[in-house]
Amino acid sequence: MGGVNVKFKVLKDNRALISRLASQGAQTAMQDVVNDLAKASSGASPHDKGILEDSYTTEVSHDSTYRIKGTVSYSVSEGGYNYAVKMHEGTYNLGAGSQAKSGGHGMSGKTYPVGNKFLTRPLEGEADAYKKHLEKGIKNQLN
C-alpha cells in the first residue's frame, strides 16, 4: 500500500500575506508595549507640578519592509532647556510630591521607584516581558 504525498507551493502572494499578518500582530503588540512603557515611566518620573509625567508622547510606526518601531519620549521646555532630559539624566533629591508617588508598574509586574532614568529603567526592566508580548502578538495573528 502506497503512502500519501501532498505537494504545494508557497506563492509569493502567500508570503506577502504572512508578512502582512505578522506585521499587524507586531504592530498591535508594539502599541501595547509603548502604552505600558509610557504608563510605567510616567509613574516612575519625578512629580512636582505633574507636567513632566504628563508630557510623554508615544508612536508606533512601520516601514515598507514591515519593521515595527515604538517610541516613547518626554519633553518639557523650561527656561531654554529640556527639563525632561535634566530630570532623566540628573542627580537630585526627590521632593515631597515625588516621595508620595508609588512609582511605575510594568507589564511584568515589576515596580520602578520614582527618580532619574525614569524611562530607561522600566524599558530595561521590562525588556523580556515586551519581547514575549511581541512574539505572542505575532503568533496569535498567524494562528
Side-chain angles (χ1 to χ4, degrees):
M1 184 169 213
V4 177
N5 292 318
V6 178
K7 293 182 181 183
F8 64 93
K9 286 196 257 181
V10 176
L11 302 174
K12 287 183 181 181
D13 291 344
N14 288 344
R15 285 190 299 215
L17 173 63
I18 290 168
S19 292
R20 199 168 44 255
L21 287 172
S23 178
Q24 289 169 351
Q27 189 160 352
T28 299
M30 182 63 81
Q31 189 64 59
D32 294 342
V33 165
V34 296
N35 290 344
D36 185 78
L37 180 57
K39 178 184 65 93
S41 61
S42 177
S45 68
H47 176 84
D48 182 22
K49 300 173 192 167
I51 297 169
L52 175 61
E53 60 205 288
D54 293 334
S55 74
Y56 65 83
T57 59
T58 64
E59 181 182 8
V60 174
S61 59
H62 63 87
D63 63 19
S64 61
T65 62
Y66 302 107
R67 286 185 290 193
I68 305 295
K69 178 181 175 183
T71 305
V72 176
S73 57
Y74 286 80
S75 181
V76 179
S77 295
E78 212 173 83
Y81 68 96
N82 188 339
Y83 176 76
V85 172
K86 178 183 177 186
M87 298 311 291
H88 188 268
E89 300 299 322
T91 302
Y92 45 84
N93 294 320
L94 296 175
S98 296
Q99 292 175 9
K101 284 180 70 174
S102 63
H105 306 279
M107 185 180 282
S108 69
K110 294 178 185 173
T111 299
Y112 301 92
V114 175
N116 67 349
K117 305 292 185 186
F118 56 89
L119 181 56
T120 54
R121 286 184 292 114
L123 175 61
E124 292 167 358
E126 296 297 309
D128 286 340
Y130 291 162
K131 180 182 175 197
K132 288 176 184 171
H133 188 76
L134 288 163
E135 289 171 352
K136 183 178 177 185
I138 293 167
K139 183 178 177 182
N140 287 346
Q141 187 69 27
L142 294 175
N143 285 336

